Each structure stands twice: as C-alpha cells, then as structure tokens.
Amino acid sequence: MESILSATMSAIGWMLGLAFLGAGIGMGILGSKAAEAIGRNPETKNDVIQGVMVVAIITTILLLVLFAFIFLLLFFNPLTV
C-alpha cells in the first residue's frame, strides 16, 4: 500500500516538473521569436502580440487541466482499494 502511494507521489512530482519545464521552455522560445518578428517588421506588432497571447492562454488552460488531473490522482487514487 505504501509503495503504491509513494509511486503515485513520485509520478505526480514528475508530471508537475516536466509540465512546468516544458511550458517554461516553450514560452521562452515563443517570446524570443515574437521579439525577433517585431524587430524585423514593427508594423505587425499588434498581430504578433495577439498571436502570442492566444498561445499563452492555451498553454495556461492546458496547465489548469493538468492540475485537475493531478488532483484527481492525488485524492481519488484508482490504484488504492
């Protein structure tokens, strides 16, 4: 029983860590490419910023869905009887 709970906690930690790592790297790359695009063509600043915000909102929504799944695993663990 304790091994199942420790494995679940370890999996939750890995999921959170990798999710935030991926989101952080992705947002960093997105920001650098947006700055590069605005630097090349300043007239398209509003379009670039609008596209960046859409991607940032989608990433945030996906992280919130991940949190819901993690809390589901944390409190209603299907592996424990």
Side-chain angles (χ1 to χ4, degrees), residues 35-46:
E36 185 179 330
I38 291 172
R40 283 186 184 166
N41 194 0
E43 293 86 22
T44 62
K45 178 181 177 183
N46 291 332

Side-chain angles (χ1 to χ4, degrees), residues 2 6 10 14-15 27 29 34 37 40 46 63 65 76-77:
E2 292 177 10
S6 66
S10 175
W14 277 101
M15 281 191 287
M27 290 300 236
I29 292 171
R40 283 186 184 166
N46 291 332
L63 282 175
V65 169
F76 304 108
N77 191 349

Side-chain angles (χ1 to χ4, degrees), residues 1 16-17 30 33 35 44 52 55 57 60 69 79:
M1 178 77 158
L16 278 175
L30 177 69
K33 295 298 180 179
T44 62
V52 167
V55 172
I57 290 170
T60 305
F69 178 69
L79 301 175

